[in-house]
Amino acid sequence: MALQALQSSGVAFRKILSHFPEELSLAFAYGSGVYRQVGPSSDQKVSLAPGQAPRRESASSHENAMLDFVFTVDDPVAWHSKNLKKNWNHYSFLKVLGPKIITTVQNNYGAGVYYNPLIMCDGRLIKYGVISTSILIEDLLNWNNLYVAGRLQKPVKIIAMNENVALRSALDKNLKSAVTTAFLMLPESFSEEDLFIEIAGLSYSDKSPEGQFTQLMTLPKTLQQQINHVIDPPGKNRDVEETLLQVAHDPDCGEVVRRGLSAIVRPSSMKQSTKGIFTAGMKKTVVYSSLKLHKMWKGWLRKTS
């Protein structure tokens, strides 16, 4: 299904951005508050009240969904220092420890992102994460945790971006790596509706071991290491290139790549969620978790109705 950006979103996003310090190398919005699916029932959503049958909800409810943002900054200490002065109430108890401690928590725990959720800004409920430019570039290139890099492989609305050549190059590399990885995980025969097949088909005509080895060698470093770990037990210290050559000849090459990806994504997501208790505060964490569960429940209802 195609995705359609909500009308007038650009102006609204820029107004929200004006409430924050300007020193951003990249700012983007994502999620259901930005895009809605276009399909036979795209203008309706299912909701369920206690004791009532499912009912249809207007597409205007998308306009009330929480907006998700990520802000990339070159100097997190300086940025948080300014943001604390402008938006002191956005932070949890960690604000009393100052911008240096906030930056330490941001950079050294979880996936390198500091989130402030459930913030009312310009009449909208928002959540925003802050990540260091250098950490984002590393994730885009090497897939250290695939947290923000993974988000940037999906539809996002770029609101602001400076002329950082290294960042722009890393963003391109991340998308190319995503296409390569997706191609490795696809079966020999596949649907023409698959978006990735159109892209991968520009350069590759069959899934030979030689072709798969070439693709495996272009994958981000961390994913290559995780694939090596999947194939060989710890302590064997087998050469990564030798392992990738073996995987290229394996009929289950795609599944091995998938397991390598899971080994990256699962720990970083769990650590980032745990960090959220401290960065958001216990009360906001409980409320935000409840909203996420409610959203999952509504999604399940849509599928079963």
Side-chain angles (χ1 to χ4, degrees):
M1 277 188 219
L3 290 174
Q4 178 180 339
L6 298 180
Q7 292 182 350
S8 304
S9 59
V11 175
F13 294 160
R14 285 191 290 273
K15 284 183 66 178
I16 289 173
L17 210 61
S18 69
H19 290 269
F20 298 92
E22 296 180 353
E23 296 80 3
L24 301 173
S25 57
L26 173 68
F28 65 88
Y30 63 94
S32 59
V34 183
Y35 295 99
R36 65 164 169 257
Q37 291 186 338
V38 177
S41 59
S42 62
D43 60 337
Q44 294 180 322
K45 291 176 70 178
V46 177
S47 63
L48 187 66
Q52 294 182 354
R55 60 184 175 82
R56 293 294 172 180
E57 186 176 319
S58 169
S60 63
S61 61
H62 285 276
E63 303 291 346
N64 298 320
M66 183 166 66
L67 294 174
D68 297 284
F69 296 90
V70 169
F71 301 152
T72 304
V73 300
D74 293 339
D75 188 341
V77 175
W79 194 90
H80 282 296
S81 179
K82 293 181 179 180
N83 198 42
L84 282 166
K85 293 177 181 177
K86 296 187 70 169
N87 301 301
W88 174 264
N89 63 325
H90 288 188
Y91 291 81
S92 70
F93 69 94
L94 291 178
K95 60 190 172 189
V96 300
L97 302 178
K100 289 185 179 180
I101 296 299
I102 289 174
T103 299
T104 298
V105 172
Q106 172 183 311
N107 290 343
N108 299 331
Y109 299 93
V113 191
Y114 189 101
Y115 274 106
N116 282 328
L118 301 177
I119 305 298
M120 285 303 300
C121 184
D122 232 36
R124 293 296 303 269
L125 187 65
I126 74 168
K127 175 186 74 176
Y128 65 94
V130 184
I131 185 171
S132 165
T133 305
S134 60
I135 289 178
L136 175 58
I137 289 175
E138 281 293 311
D139 194 26
L140 291 169
L141 293 177
N142 300 320
W143 287 6
N144 295 336
N145 52 61
L146 259 182
Y147 197 82
V148 179
R151 169 51 56 191
L152 284 163
Q153 294 164 4
K154 303 174 180 66
V156 300
K157 175 76 172 179
I158 302 294
I159 309 167
M161 189 174 185
N162 68 10
E163 296 300 320
N164 187 321
V165 176
L167 176 57
R168 288 174 179 265
S169 176
L171 287 166
D172 289 340
K173 178 64 165 61
N174 178 48
L175 294 178
K176 291 176 182 177
S177 296
V179 171
T180 300
T181 305
F183 184 74
L184 284 165
M185 294 188 294
L186 287 168
E188 295 236 1
S189 58
F190 36 73
S191 169
E192 63 185 39
E193 296 176 359
D194 192 327
L195 174 62
F196 290 120
I197 297 308
E198 290 293 330
I199 302 171
L202 296 174
S203 303
Y204 299 98
S205 59
D206 58 56
K207 293 172 69 68
S208 68
E210 294 78 13
Q212 291 191 143
F213 178 65
T214 300
Q215 295 168 34
L216 286 165
M217 289 296 291
T218 67
L219 293 179
K221 178 181 65 176
T222 302
L223 180 53
Q224 290 181 340
Q225 293 171 340
Q226 290 295 345
I227 291 172
N228 188 47
H229 184 73
V230 166
I231 295 299
D232 288 318
K236 198 168 182 179
N237 296 323
R238 189 177 182 184
D239 182 72
V240 173
E241 185 172 341
E242 182 184 351
T243 298
L244 296 182
L245 183 59
Q246 176 187 334
V247 173
H249 287 80
D250 191 331
D252 295 323
C253 173
E255 181 57 30
V256 175
V257 175
R258 198 181 306 278
R259 289 168 62 189
L261 280 170
S262 179
I264 297 173
V265 174
R266 190 186 305 112
S268 64
S269 296
M270 292 177 63
K271 291 176 183 177
Q272 185 65 40
S273 297
T274 302
K275 186 171 80 172
I277 297 174
F278 298 95
T279 61
M282 183 61 74
K283 182 178 179 181
K284 282 188 177 180
T285 299
V286 172
V287 174
Y288 181 66
S289 298
S290 299
L291 289 173
K292 293 290 283 187
L293 287 172
H294 181 64
K295 183 177 179 181
M296 291 171 61
W297 170 248
K298 291 177 74 175
W300 180 81
L301 287 174
R302 285 199 297 273
K303 291 180 180 179
T304 56
S305 63

